[in-house]
Amino acid sequence: MPVRALRVQNLRKSYRDVAAVSGLDLEVRTGECFGLLGPNGAGKTTTIEICEGLTTPDSGTVEVLGLNWKTSANQLRQRLGIQLQETQLSEKLTVLETIRLFRSFFHRGPDPAACIGLVQLEEKRNSRVGQLSGGQKQRLALACALAGDPDLIFLDEPTTGLDPQARRQLWDLIEQFKHSGRTILLTTHYMDEAERLCDRVAIMDRGRSIALGTPRELVVSIGIEHVVEFASGGARPLDTGPLLRLDCIRQLEHHNGFIRLQVAELHRAVPALLAELDRQQMPLTGLRTHSATLEDVFVALTGRHLRDE
Amino acid sequence: MSNEAARTLANTPQAGFAAHPLAQLTIVRFKEFIREPEAIFWVFVFPILLAAGLGIAFRNRPADVLRVAASTPALAQALSGNKLLDVRTLPPAAAESALREGRVALLAQPAPEGGVILRYDDNNPEGRTARLLAGDSIQKAAGRGDPVPLTDRLVHEAGSRYIDFLIPGLLGMNLMGSAIWGMGFAIVDARRKKLMKRLVATPMPRHHYLLSFVLSRLLLLVVEVGVLLGFGAGAFGVPVRGSLSVLVLLCVLGSLSFGAIGLLIASRVQTIEAVSGIMNVVMMPMWILSGVFFSSQRFPDLVQPLIRLLPLTAVIDALRAHMLRGATLAEIAPQMAILTGWMVLCFIAALKLFRWR
Ligand SMILES: Nc1ncnc2c1ncn2[C@@H]1O[C@H](COP(=O)(O)OP(=O)(O)OP(=O)(O)O)[C@@H](O)[C@H]1O
Ligand SMILES: [Mg+2]
């Protein structure tokens, strides 16, 4: 098996006047879980569907498992596991019937019952798809992606719209697939999902990749370790000038009624902040801090947030 | 089970006929259909209710006894010589209103200048029949003889009643409806739900997807045709005089032609609303023009050649010829040719236009 499971070079795709993907390079190594993280409309689905052979790019090269869509489409389809962002499986069929159908398309793959076991839907095997919960439907979609024992799995926003419990359950499953040696490419706009599941992440914005690395590398790369958010309930607005002059504070912005500081050293920044508030005689009405996340990386790179709150 | 185990177990070959993608697609399509109660009603129950209702409403009664009125007992006496007339004597005013309200088909009154006045509505078939019967009995009662002796010998032949005309019409309508609706809704629904896109992302051979529609349609066809013809034969004695093989050929060809039309309609449409609209626009003229409920001969001569080219007309005309006259394959060849033409043209156009997403 090649070292690279997927290679995309200078990929471009436009829909009339919208450039969905504009000059994207990607490389996914065999055996890793790679994440495409980006806000709505970043071009994640367009990219992944080009890799899946569902959309033809305007230009650029795509090499999947060392093969090419133009010459080896059928061979590739046998080896890919795909979950689309918005497929609704037939509601009138049962879980087992659905898996049996998908299994029939592949030369090899687990027995349908075993496939259902992989996503822990055993007790629902004879239920109609229409009667499954959102999380169960998503797990069924995952089972369909596994029906051909794929070498490379594409998951497009596997947990969007699910409640926290269902998301965690899905994360556990995806982690298990990782350990079974499969390569996974997933898209998400949840930074916690990317941090938890992905070995490497490409942050996408407006059709291109603006950062690439392990979640840890990306967080370190922006030079901020922590984020401090505070609110001050004084009668007059706080004069933020002196705060910005402190060398331990990198950036300051107003966000949801809080003032948000990107900070390199928490142990110096917080006392300095408190001292400054005291000097201006402003009360502190809220204070929270967290270690920097991929969300903060995105904010640092684009000045925008991943999701509109 | 650990995932390593799952991966090694992953090479379980799925043997047997049922594991073939075409078999699976067909089974799935068939199950989806029979799990849809509305579809079952429209395809199986509705045509039978319609046939039963219309068959009873338009059944040929044994020659009706016609009610007629006479204004004098002497005239009543003369009229009652005919067994087919139910005569009553009514005073003039009552006779007048009975005639006007249609409770009697004819009123006989003595004419002031001698002779008899027969009053009836000549637009009403019952009135005209009553006129013939009444005239005949009055003349006979007055002593007219028959120069030529006539003998009646009655035949009640299956094949000439309204129900005999209706069942092939309903069968044709059903073949069209289930093929076009079955194809149109299923395809557009799968496209709308992105299920089609998901299937196209698998190694599923695309022609298997389309072929599965044909196969499940043919499976259902057996039931559909069997139920309607069985009902016609059992409840009304509607004949099927032609050979079974020609009937099968005709139904299969008809179903495939309508299926191709359905495929063409559904080839690009994205929403259920749009596809229902187009399907109705396509089928409505045929429901009216193709002679389901009454003979298409009633439309002006000018449009007859066009009506004959409609696929539903071809199916129904061929079915009627086959069932009622026992027509052979050669006799219904023109209709078969029309159906083949529709099938080939629509299928080619559909393949050109079809969008998998
Ligand atoms: N079929 C299409 N026709 C026209 N425009 C499209 C089409 N598909 C995508 N786009 C546009 O391309 C851009 C990228 O879309 P894409 O679906 O790839 O984004 P995404 O990152 O997957 O977003 P989301 O997180 O909302 O799923 C968007 O501006 C979208 O409107
Ligand atoms: Mg998307």
Side-chain angles (χ1 to χ4, degrees):
Chain A
M1 202 174 289
V3 195
R4 271 184 262 102
L6 176 73
R7 185 160 73 165
V8 167
Q9 280 175 317
N10 198 18
L11 194 67
R12 286 174 199 278
K13 176 76 188 179
S14 301
Y15 294 104
R16 281 180 223 98
D17 49 342
V18 191
V21 180
S22 38
L24 182 77
D25 298 310
L26 276 186
E27 232 182 77
V28 178
R29 298 172 193 147
T30 298
E32 78 174 336
C33 177
F34 189 93
L36 280 178
L37 178 67
N40 288 131
K44 305 182 296 294
T45 298
T46 309
T47 305
I48 207 168
E49 288 188 354
I50 290 172
C51 297
E52 289 162 348
L54 287 170
T55 304
T56 36
D58 296 340
S59 66
T61 55
V62 179
E63 194 187 282
V64 188
L65 298 169
L67 300 169
N68 177 309
W69 275 109
K70 282 203 191 71
T71 54
S72 327
N74 283 334
Q75 206 182 335
L76 271 174
R77 288 199 186 96
Q78 286 288 350
R79 294 176 59 191
L80 301 182
I82 288 172
Q83 186 228 336
L84 300 178
Q85 189 172 351
E86 42 186 14
T87 302
Q88 289 168 267
L89 294 164
S90 187
E91 310 227 312
K92 301 232 156 42
L93 300 178
T94 67
V95 167
L96 183 61
E97 286 163 350
T98 305
I99 297 296
R100 244 195 232 132
L101 174 68
F102 276 85
R103 175 65 186 84
S104 76
F105 302 141
F106 295 91
H107 297 323
R108 46 173 228 150
D111 193 66
C115 202
I116 291 171
L118 288 176
V119 297
Q120 295 159 16
L121 277 177
E122 288 97 337
E123 74 270 40
K124 292 284 172 190
R125 55 182 283 164
N126 292 317
S127 305
R128 298 268 175 96
V129 173
Q131 286 151 5
L132 299 181
S133 71
Q136 290 165 342
K137 278 189 184 137
Q138 215 51 359
R139 277 189 274 151
L140 176 60
L142 214 53
C144 293
L146 295 173
D149 185 32
D151 295 319
L152 174 56
I153 306 178
F154 292 106
L155 305 174
D156 197 358
E157 303 202 9
T159 67
T160 298
L162 298 185
D163 58 84
Q165 192 200 343
R167 287 179 70 198
R168 269 193 294 276
Q169 202 171 7
L170 232 75
W171 287 350
D172 288 341
L173 289 174
I174 295 173
E175 257 175 354
Q176 283 180 33
F177 305 153
K178 266 171 67 175
H179 296 314
S180 67
R182 293 177 167 98
T183 312
I184 302 176
L185 173 63
L186 69 80
T187 76
T188 181
H189 43 68
Y190 297 112
M191 52 95 189
D192 50 346
E193 184 161 294
E195 263 159 26
R196 157 124 188 224
L197 294 176
C198 299
D199 302 313
R200 289 194 310 142
V201 174
I203 298 184
M204 268 192 90
D205 189 39
R206 299 186 173 147
R208 47 182 111 232
S209 162
I210 54 172
L212 173 76
T214 65
R216 184 77 216 137
E217 284 166 4
L218 288 173
V219 169
V220 170
S221 74
I222 53 170
I224 46 173
E225 301 272 298
H226 301 279
V227 173
V228 174
E229 290 174 302
F230 71 95
S232 123
R236 58 208 156 75
L238 179 75
D239 175 14
T240 55
L243 284 176
L244 279 171
R245 282 191 290 276
L246 293 170
D247 66 352
C248 57
I249 291 175
R250 291 285 154 78
Q251 202 186 340
L252 181 149
E253 59 164 352
H254 296 267
H255 182 63
N256 284 348
F258 272 75
I259 295 176
R260 188 178 164 118
L261 305 173
Q262 295 183 355
V263 163
E265 292 157 308
L266 202 56
H267 63 279
R268 289 180 51 212
V270 173
L273 167 66
L274 294 177
E276 180 58 28
L277 286 172
D278 196 40
R279 196 185 64 76
Q280 292 191 33
Q281 297 190 326
M282 299 286 287
L284 183 68
T285 54
L287 177 70
R288 55 189 188 217
T289 75
H290 65 257
S291 307
T293 62
L294 289 175
E295 171 90 26
D296 301 308
V297 176
F298 188 79
V299 174
L301 292 174
T302 66
R304 287 175 289 118
H305 288 266
L306 275 172
R307 277 178 297 142
D308 312 314
E309 269 142 306
Chain B
M1 177 186 335
S2 85
N3 276 281
E4 269 71 18
R7 277 220 94 171
T8 44
L9 169 157
N11 280 311
T12 328
Q14 299 292 294
F17 157 77
H20 191 275
L22 184 55
Q24 275 298 317
L25 282 164
T26 308
I27 291 169
V28 157
R29 188 120 356 276
F30 192 75
K31 282 183 178 162
E32 281 174 337
F33 175 81
I34 58 173
R35 289 177 188 170
E36 184 103 59
E38 295 91 338
I40 299 284
F41 175 81
W42 288 110
V43 172
F44 295 126
V45 183
F46 179 71
I48 286 183
L49 290 180
L50 204 60
L54 292 173
I56 290 167
F58 292 100
R59 71 189 180 281
N60 297 21
R61 276 153 290 202
D64 262 339
V65 174
L66 293 174
R67 293 187 173 195
V68 296
S71 57
T72 64
L75 269 176
Q77 180 68 38
L79 288 172
S80 55
N82 192 318
K83 288 195 300 294
L84 293 176
L85 294 177
D86 171 15
V87 192
R88 56 190 59 195
T89 319
L90 293 175
E96 200 64 46
S97 63
L99 179 65
R100 225 174 292 128
E101 291 160 20
R103 276 180 281 126
V104 296
L106 174 140
L107 169 59
Q109 295 169 321
E113 63 275 16
V116 178
I117 298 175
L118 298 178
R119 295 178 55 195
Y120 64 98
D121 177 359
D122 72 339
N123 287 324
N124 176 350
E126 289 202 340
R128 291 199 298 269
T129 313
R131 162 67 182 80
L132 292 175
L133 296 172
D136 193 47
S137 2
I138 291 170
Q139 301 296 0
K140 263 193 192 139
R144 188 187 73 185
D146 288 334
V148 181
L150 298 176
T151 315
D152 292 340
R153 198 161 286 154
L154 302 177
V155 281
H156 291 285
E157 175 108 59
S160 56
R161 304 156 304 168
Y162 182 61
I163 187 76
D164 301 312
F165 179 84
L166 183 65
I167 291 281
L170 286 179
L171 183 57
M173 187 172 82
N174 213 26
L175 288 181
M176 172 171 86
S178 52
I180 293 187
W181 270 313
M183 207 80 180
F185 281 129
I187 288 180
V188 174
D189 197 47
R191 187 181 291 124
R192 181 179 66 97
K193 290 177 167 167
K194 313 275 189 223
L195 179 57
M196 197 185 273
K197 187 171 166 188
R198 178 67 187 85
L199 289 174
V200 165
T202 69
M204 173 191 77
R206 295 186 185 191
H207 66 277
H208 281 177
Y209 185 74
L210 298 181
L211 217 55
S212 73
F213 280 94
V214 173
L215 291 182
S216 66
R217 189 85 281 287
L218 294 183
L219 268 173
L220 284 168
L221 190 66
V222 177
V223 188
E224 221 171 281
V225 175
V227 164
L228 194 55
L229 291 188
F231 172 80
F236 294 101
V238 174
V240 180
R241 298 207 168 98
S243 74
L244 182 65
S245 55
V246 174
L247 181 69
V248 169
L249 197 66
L250 177 58
C251 290
V252 168
L253 184 62
S255 204
L256 291 180
S257 311
F258 291 124
I261 295 174
L263 186 69
L264 178 60
I265 293 173
S267 58
R268 288 203 165 187
V269 181
Q270 300 280 349
T271 66
I272 293 288
E273 291 77 9
V275 81
S276 348
I278 303 176
M279 290 191 296
N280 286 336
V281 165
V282 168
M283 290 194 283
M284 183 73 81
M286 291 196 264
W287 283 326
I288 297 168
L289 296 172
S290 292
V292 177
F293 298 102
F294 54 87
S295 169
S296 57
Q297 301 297 328
R298 294 195 180 200
F299 291 100
D301 287 345
L302 197 65
V303 293
Q304 287 298 329
L306 290 180
I307 292 180
R308 272 199 296 277
L309 283 178
L310 294 175
L312 185 58
T313 317
V315 165
I316 292 179
D317 285 354
L319 277 171
R320 285 203 179 114
H322 173 275
M323 289 168 62
L324 308 181
R325 288 198 285 108
T328 61
L329 189 56
E331 289 171 277
I332 59 170
Q335 283 88 358
M336 299 292 258
I338 291 174
L339 290 173
T340 310
W342 279 100
M343 178 178 74
V344 171
L345 288 180
C346 291
F347 192 66
I348 291 173
L351 284 191
K352 282 238 179 330
L353 292 175
F354 200 83
R355 283 276 159 86
W356 287 95
R357 54 192 302 177

